[in-house]
């Protein structure tokens, strides 16, 4: 209990450090899934560790540990009082951050759905007459692609194909689920913020690769990405394949080189790392239960 309960927090730091390396050397489709899943598991374990710390403060743990001391001598409390006290406001902060993250996600989805309201159910592509260059995948049933006339007018025919293929990849592979999962994990455990950023980048790289495969030309896809980035920056758009993101130059460079290998061994290493937080949290839970019930450790 004394050490296991803190281990998920330490492992959160390790996952945050491993995320950028995983995103750099593992194929985007594999890395995005692995990191999003690992982030959710780790965030659940760290939140549960805070619960254990708070419960240990409320329970009569000091009396149990004193009775368990060898030769009548007092044993050290498994959780210092100051840490147990701090666990409760930390849990409250987790709840507030999760509430805000869920509310922001729901607002964004409602706003996008309103833009697509009134369209026939089988309409995939919605072109909005607007001087603001913008392109968005709108998740749902059915998923839609929302593109403004300004964005389409800035691209050539093949570049438009790449644009639409990119957005179709977002819808087909449910990238919104991965991004939302990573965002909620980071809301629960701010140490995982680098993982959230990496997953956001990876789903864009994943969609870039699918677009290049659909068009059959990586260079054309890179040109479409660069042209749309410049157009979006001039127009101040915030939803154009993340073209205004600082990582756009990395995405263009990646499209101008060969696709990344899967590197399954690296992905397995990250998965193995993600199994440790719940295992250690479970061990700490068992220790706490035995302390509260007076059972021998």
């Amino acid at each position: 209990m004394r050490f296991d309960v803190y281990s998920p927090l330490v492992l959160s730091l390790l996952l945050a450090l491993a995320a950028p390396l995983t995103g750099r050397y593992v194929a985007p489709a594999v890395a995005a899934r692995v990191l999003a899943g690992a982030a959710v598991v780790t965030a659940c374990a760290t939140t549960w560790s805070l619960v254990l710390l708070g419960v240990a403060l409320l329970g009569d743990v000091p009396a149990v540990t004193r009775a368990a001391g060898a030769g009548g001598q007092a044993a050290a409390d498994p959780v210092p009082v100051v840490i147990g006290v701090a666990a409760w406001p930390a849990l409250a902060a987790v709840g507030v951050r999760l509430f805000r993250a869920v509310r922001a996600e729901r607002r964004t989805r409602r706003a996008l759905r309103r833009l697509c309201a009134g369209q026939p159910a089988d309409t995939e592509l919605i072109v909005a007459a607007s001087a603001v260059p913008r392109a968005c995948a709108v998740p749902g049933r059915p998923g839609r692609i929302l593109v403004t006339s300004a964005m389409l007018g800035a691209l050539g025919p093949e570049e438009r194909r790449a644009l639409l293929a990119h957005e179709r990849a977002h819808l087909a592979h449910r990238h919104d689920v991965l991004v939302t999962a990573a965002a909620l994990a980071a809301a629960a455990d701010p140490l995982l913020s680098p993982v959230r950023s990496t997953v956001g980048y990876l789903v864009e790289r994943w969609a870039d690769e699918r677009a290049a495969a659909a068009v059959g030309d990586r260079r054309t896809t890179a040109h479409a990405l660069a042209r749309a980035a410049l157009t979006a920056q001039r127009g101040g758009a915030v939803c154009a394949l993340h073209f205004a993101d600082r990582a756009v130059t990395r995405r263009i460079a990646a499209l101008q080189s060969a696709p990344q290998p899967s590197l399954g061994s690296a992905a397995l290493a990250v998965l193995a790392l993600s199994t440790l937080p719940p295992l250690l949290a479970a061990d700490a839970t068992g220790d706490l239960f035995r302390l509260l019930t007076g059972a021998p450790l």
Side-chain angles (χ1 to χ4, degrees):
M1 172 73 180
R2 191 172 301 163
F3 301 107
D4 291 349
V5 74
Y6 307 108
S7 298
L9 296 172
V10 176
L11 292 170
S12 296
L13 287 172
L14 292 178
L15 182 60
L17 293 173
L21 293 175
T22 304
R24 181 171 299 180
Y25 296 110
V26 179
V30 176
R33 292 186 179 110
V34 168
L35 288 175
V40 170
V41 171
T42 303
C44 290
T46 55
T47 302
W48 182 246
S49 293
L50 290 175
V51 172
L52 293 178
L53 291 171
V55 170
L57 176 69
L58 294 179
D60 192 18
V61 175
V64 174
T65 54
R66 283 195 294 270
Q73 295 180 351
D77 291 346
V79 177
V81 173
V82 65
I83 294 180
V85 170
W88 288 105
L91 280 171
V94 168
V96 170
R97 288 194 299 265
L98 283 173
F99 173 77
R100 289 177 176 174
V102 171
R103 183 177 60 181
E105 178 69 17
R106 293 183 63 182
R107 284 179 175 175
T108 299
R109 294 193 178 220
R110 282 199 298 265
L112 290 174
R113 283 196 293 267
R114 281 197 297 268
L115 293 174
C116 301
Q119 299 294 328
D122 59 348
T123 301
E124 178 197 45
L125 177 62
I126 299 173
V127 179
S130 174
V132 178
R134 183 170 297 184
C136 288
V138 183
R141 296 184 179 180
R144 308 289 182 88
I145 299 173
L146 177 64
V147 186
T148 63
S149 55
M151 178 61 75
L152 290 179
L155 304 177
E158 289 302 308
E159 293 168 342
R160 292 175 189 170
R161 284 186 59 202
L163 171 78
L164 297 179
H166 180 107
E167 298 299 347
R168 288 191 184 102
H170 282 319
L171 295 174
H173 298 286
R174 295 307 308 270
H175 290 168
D176 61 299
V177 174
L178 296 177
V179 171
T180 299
L184 293 179
D189 184 354
L191 296 175
L192 297 174
S193 295
V195 182
R196 176 193 58 199
S197 301
T198 302
V199 170
Y201 167 76
L202 286 171
V203 297
E204 296 302 324
R205 280 282 301 116
W206 185 352
D208 290 342
E209 292 294 335
R210 297 306 302 166
V215 174
D217 188 345
R218 298 177 66 82
R219 186 175 296 275
T220 296
T221 307
H223 286 170
L225 176 59
R227 189 184 299 275
L230 293 175
T231 303
Q233 288 174 351
R234 286 196 298 265
V238 295
C239 183
L241 304 182
H242 291 270
F243 286 141
D245 193 276
R246 293 180 180 178
V248 68
T249 54
R250 290 174 55 197
R251 291 169 57 195
I252 293 173
L255 284 170
Q256 293 176 333
S257 59
Q260 291 173 278
S262 293
L263 288 183
S265 58
L268 288 175
V270 174
L271 283 176
L273 178 65
S274 69
T275 63
L276 293 178
L279 290 176
L280 293 169
D283 186 63
T285 303
D287 289 345
L288 177 63
F289 178 78
R290 287 189 289 272
L291 286 167
L292 292 176
T293 58
L297 293 175

